[in-house]
Amino acid sequence: KFFTKGPVLFFSGLVSGLLLTGAILLVPDGAAVGQSVREKVALFDIIFQDITSNYVEPVDEEKLFETGMQAMLSSLDPYTQFENNLQAREMNVKANGKYGGVGLGLAQDLRDPDRLVVMSAFEGYAFDEGVRPGDYIERVNDIDVKGRNIEEVTNMLRGPPGTSVNLEVSRQGASSGITFKLDRRFVSIRDVPVATIVDEKDGIGYIKLQSFAKDASSELRRAITKLSNETKLMGLVLDLRGNPGGLLTSAVEVTETLVPKDSLIVTTKGREQSDSETYTSSRQPALPENVKLAVLVNGQTASAAEIVAGAVQDLDVGLVIGTKTFGKGLIQNIQSLPYRTALRYTVGRYYTPSGRCIQALNYSSDNGVLVAKEKLDVDRLEFRTLHGRSVKDGGGIDV
C-alpha cells in the first residue's frame, strides 16, 4: 500500500494480467472477461504485430507497446500508469527506502539540460570517497553520459551491493576530470533526515519527515525519544512540507505516534462496499499528551502526508500550519506484472476521521480524453472535528 503525490499511492489487491510472449498474446479466460473484451485484446495484438512487422520504418517495439498502454490508462486519471522495468524498480526503492548504489542524488542542470549535476552526496557513501555537491557527472564506467536523462544515469550507478562503478566528474576550479572508483552498498533513504531541539529554553523540538517508506514510523519514534532525552520536551514541530507521500501502512503507523490509542485514523472506500477498510490506532503514541504539536504543510504536502495532517486536524491533537495541501485523496493498487514491470491503478478514495475526502480534482473521460474538474469552494461540504471545529472536504487540507 503506497501513497505519493506525483504519480501514485498504492493499495493491495489483484488484477488479471495480459502477457505478451513472443508473438502470442495470452488472454485470461473466465466469466470475468467477456467475449467483447477478448476480441479487443486480440485486435490490439494483431495491430501491434502488423505495425512492428510492416511499418515503413523500423519500430521500437518496447516504446510502441508502452505508448499504447499509457494512452489507454491516461484516459482514466493521471495516477493510473504502466511501469516499465526501470520505473517499477524506482517504485520499489521508494517503498522500501533503500537500494544498492553509491549514495548520490542527481539533478538536471537548468543552464545546460544535457548535463547532470550532483545535488547531494551521502556521508558514509560517495561523499567519503570525495564526490561533492556541484560536481558534474561526465562518465560512468567510461561511458559519456552527456545528454542522458537522470533515470538512465541513476540506473548505471545503481547495482548489486559488493560491485563497483567508475565515475568521472568535472569540478569548478579543477583543470581536468576527477575519477573515482565507488563501491556499491545498500543505501538507506532516511524518512527523518532532521531531528533537533530548536528552542532549548521552551523545550521545542523540530522533526522533518520527508517520505513514508516502510521504516518511517520507527524513525519518527526514535526521533521523538531522542528529543525527549535531550530536553524536557514541551512542543514539537513536525515538518511535512514537500512530502509527496509513501506507504499507506506507514501513514497509519506515523499517525499512531501522534494520536491517542484507539483513535480513528483513516477510512478507505472502493468500488464495492466490501472494499472499504477502517484503520484505527492500535498502540500508545510516542508523543506525550502534554506536548503541544504543530504540523507544517504546503502545496506539495500530499497523499500519505495528508492522511497524517488530516488526522491531527480532525482529532484536534495539534495545529496544522502553513498553506493548503495538494489535495490527493485517491488510492492506487500496484500489481506486479511479468518481466519486472508493474501496473498501478486507482481503486478508491480515503477519508479522514471526520469523514471528509480531500481530493481536489474529479476525473472523467470525454471520448477517451481525460477531463479534470476542480471542486468549487461553494460545493465543498462541511464536517466537524472531534471538538466541533468546522473543516471542509475537497481541495486538500485547509489551515
Side-chain angles (χ1 to χ4, degrees), residues 17 38 65 105 181 232 291 316 318 324:
R38 286 195 291 269
F65 174 78
K181 184 178 181 179
K232 184 178 180 181
V291 177
D316 289 309
K324 184 187 295 186

Side-chain angles (χ1 to χ4, degrees), residues 18-26 44-45 48 65 339:
L18 302 180
L19 309 181
L20 280 175
T21 308
I24 302 174
L25 182 68
L26 304 182
F44 178 89
D45 182 41
F48 183 82
F65 174 78
Y339 316 118

